[in-house]
Amino acid sequence: MDRTTGVPDIKEIRRVAFASAIGCVIEWYDFFLYGVVAGLVFNKLFFPNQDPFVGILLAYATFAVGFVARPVGGILFGHFGDRLGRKGMLVLTLLIMGIATFLIGLLPTYETAGIWAPILLLVLRVLQGLGIGGEWGGAVLMAIEYAPKERRGFYGSWPQIGVPAGLFLATIVVALLSMVSDQAFLQWGWRVAFLLSALLVAVGLYVRLKILETPMFEQLKQTQEQAKVPFFELWRTHTLKTILGMGCRYIEGVTFNIFGVYSIAYLTTALKLPRTTALVAVSLASFVMVFLIPVFGKMSDSYGRRKTYALGVFGIALLAYPSFWLMNTREVPLVVLAIVVPFGIVYPMVYGPIAAMFSESFSTRVRYTGVSFVYQFSGIFASGLTPLIAATLLHFDDNQPWLIAGYIVVVSIISLISVALLGDRTGQDLADIDRLGAGATAAAVR
């Protein structure tokens, strides 16, 4: 920090962005590990007495519950993040997430504990949802509120790397553990992946405890202008942007959960391909994505959030049908291509700018609550329900994926309309955004 101006230096900005990214990697590893394992293990060990189709639906239903809990966590931790500060909430959410994930690895199965096994699984999934619900907004704001205005897209994309890196880590760990026999994997292999979370959380806490609160929030705290109830003020002053933000987020969540989560069950169950083929395809796409997210975050600094985002949405719609056609060839190179191109290359064009785009839509008084609610509430229909919707569409289309591809196209149109109406504040000073927010607050009070 420059002592004369109070402006963070480049080393401090990078340290904060790195700490945000590391924490996000760990949190998303925990969260997505559940999704990767749900269709492979939980349907067998926690819902064993059901028809295979019903068992899959029940396993993905508990997966979806985590997304229902996320907006609750977003509102709860967003409230205290806007009232008390960003850093404390980041440490707390990391602890909640890590403990819940570790305990999943110790759960008894249905055979051992009966109905208590799925109940306990559900409770821990809810805790995961609460933790990740508060995590994303805080991690993003630590990077965004430290970053210079001309590089907010770039530094705001660093926490976004946590998503593909977390998914990559989760799928690689499961793929390595899958090398044991199916019986061994069902007995103990999957548990190891969850128990590893304890080590990852220890690393994340060590890094996060070394960073300071954001300058933007410190200024707000000094003037004692925090919103009394940020969630209520959000809806009084940013109603349209909140709704449009959720519309923008729709295609992002659908794309991630179709290609990154549901595709694993689709390739192994519907197309009868080896589990390792599906896991390697998703892992490779995630690996590519790690490098492209900051590229497109930086691109949004130059060409604008709206243009970059819209281009990515259009690309996803264009690739929906060809991707599933390639998967249905059952040729391994083409299957990998069908996952890597839309998910590893085009999707980062959407996900890279999203942190800056949402953060620039809200004033500091409600920014934590705003970005958390938009991201997490939309996650219910955009992310959590997507595997259920996809499995249902596949079932009613006689095991053909064309209704799923059509769903992706329809959602793309909704998101294109939303991003066109949201507006673009690329490069605008956050203090100017705060002044606009203050004007909206005064108007709402009058």
Side-chain angles (χ1 to χ4, degrees):
M1 181 82 71
D2 190 319
R3 297 181 181 275
T4 60
T5 63
V7 176
D9 58 33
I10 191 65
K11 289 184 179 179
E12 187 170 7
I13 292 169
R14 288 175 177 170
R15 183 167 61 249
V16 169
F18 177 73
S20 296
I22 287 294
C24 281
V25 171
I26 296 162
E27 293 256 2
W28 287 113
Y29 166 81
D30 290 350
F31 197 77
F32 289 132
L33 180 62
Y34 190 105
V36 171
V37 172
L40 302 175
V41 174
F42 292 159
N43 57 317
K44 299 181 180 72
L45 298 185
F46 292 88
F47 309 100
N49 297 327
Q50 304 295 333
D51 172 87
F53 171 64
V54 176
I56 285 282
L57 287 185
L58 288 173
Y60 279 136
T62 58
F63 174 74
V65 164
F67 288 89
V68 175
R70 280 168 59 171
V72 178
I75 294 170
L76 177 65
F77 293 108
H79 174 86
F80 290 107
D82 282 327
R83 292 284 299 163
L84 304 177
R86 300 10 178 159
K87 178 184 173 179
M89 298 305 105
L90 283 183
V91 173
L92 183 57
T93 54
L94 187 60
L95 278 172
I96 291 172
M97 191 72 173
I99 291 171
T101 304
F102 182 80
L103 290 178
I104 289 175
L106 298 176
L107 280 181
T109 64
Y110 188 92
E111 184 180 357
T112 304
I115 191 64
W116 283 106
I119 290 174
L120 290 171
L121 180 67
L122 188 66
V123 169
L124 293 175
R125 182 59 177 172
V126 168
L127 288 176
Q128 279 193 324
L130 291 174
I132 203 69
E135 156 70 20
W136 184 82
V140 160
L141 295 193
M142 287 299 293
I144 291 289
E145 292 183 349
Y146 261 95
K149 62 182 181 181
E150 67 277 4
R151 304 201 73 189
R152 279 201 299 263
F154 175 65
Y155 285 114
S157 70
W158 284 32
Q160 305 296 79
I161 294 172
V163 171
L167 181 62
F168 174 75
L169 192 58
T171 51
I172 282 294
V173 167
V174 173
L176 290 174
L177 292 169
S178 293
M179 291 180 180
V180 301
S181 68
D182 286 346
Q183 183 180 1
F185 182 74
L186 287 174
Q187 284 180 345
W188 59 265
W190 68 273
R191 295 183 183 276
V192 174
F194 284 88
L195 297 177
L196 282 174
S197 177
L199 177 62
L200 297 175
V201 168
V203 174
L205 285 175
Y206 175 77
V207 173
R208 280 196 169 172
L209 287 171
K210 289 181 171 293
I211 61 176
L212 302 174
E213 186 56 79
T214 72
M216 290 297 298
F217 183 80
E218 286 293 353
Q219 292 174 17
L220 184 70
K221 191 174 180 180
Q222 288 174 9
T223 59
Q224 296 185 335
E225 292 181 352
Q226 299 101 309
K228 291 183 179 179
V229 185
F231 183 70
F232 292 159
E233 183 168 316
L234 171 71
W235 283 101
R236 285 199 309 269
T237 59
H238 297 77
T239 306
L240 182 59
K241 288 191 177 297
T242 301
I243 294 170
L244 291 174
M246 289 190 285
C248 293
R249 163 96 161 85
Y250 200 175
I251 188 58
E252 182 273 311
V254 166
T255 304
F256 190 96
N257 284 277
I258 289 289
F259 291 100
V261 176
Y262 177 73
S263 66
I264 296 173
Y266 174 70
L267 293 172
T268 56
T269 305
L271 299 184
K272 308 300 182 185
L273 289 169
R275 184 169 59 218
T276 51
T277 299
L279 291 171
V280 167
V282 172
S283 299
L284 183 58
S286 302
F287 181 76
V288 172
M289 197 190 307
V290 167
F291 299 97
L292 289 183
I293 282 177
V295 170
F296 289 120
K298 188 174 182 179
M299 177 177 163
S300 76
D301 284 326
S302 301
Y303 298 100
R305 320 285 182 229
R306 182 164 53 187
K307 289 180 181 177
T308 307
Y309 197 90
L311 186 60
V313 174
F314 181 76
I316 289 167
L318 199 64
L319 290 169
Y321 282 95
S323 295
F324 278 99
W325 182 83
L326 287 175
M327 287 185 216
N328 275 29
T329 65
R330 292 180 171 85
E331 296 291 335
V332 173
L334 296 180
V335 169
V336 172
L337 195 66
I339 300 292
V340 171
V341 174
F343 189 43
I345 297 175
V346 179
Y347 171 78
M349 205 176 299
V350 169
Y351 202 60
I354 203 172
M357 185 170 73
F358 286 171
S359 297
E360 290 165 348
S361 298
F362 303 102
S363 60
T364 304
R365 286 167 58 92
V366 297
R367 187 171 292 128
Y368 201 139
T369 301
V371 299
S372 295
F373 183 81
V374 165
Y375 192 84
Q376 307 302 352
F377 186 81
S378 62
I380 297 175
F381 58 85
S383 299
L385 294 178
T386 294
L388 278 171
I389 292 170
T392 303
L393 291 175
L394 187 74
H395 182 70
F396 283 108
D397 201 17
D398 196 26
N399 254 20
Q400 295 299 312
W402 313 123
L403 286 179
I404 299 174
Y407 179 64
I408 294 172
V409 172
V410 170
V411 172
S412 297
I413 294 170
I414 294 171
S415 291
L416 280 172
I417 294 171
S418 299
V419 77
L421 297 174
L422 183 64
D424 196 332
R425 289 176 168 177
T426 302
Q428 190 171 349
D429 198 298
L430 290 180
D432 294 336
I433 296 172
D434 283 350
R435 282 190 284 272
L436 289 172
T441 303
V445 172
R446 287 198 298 271

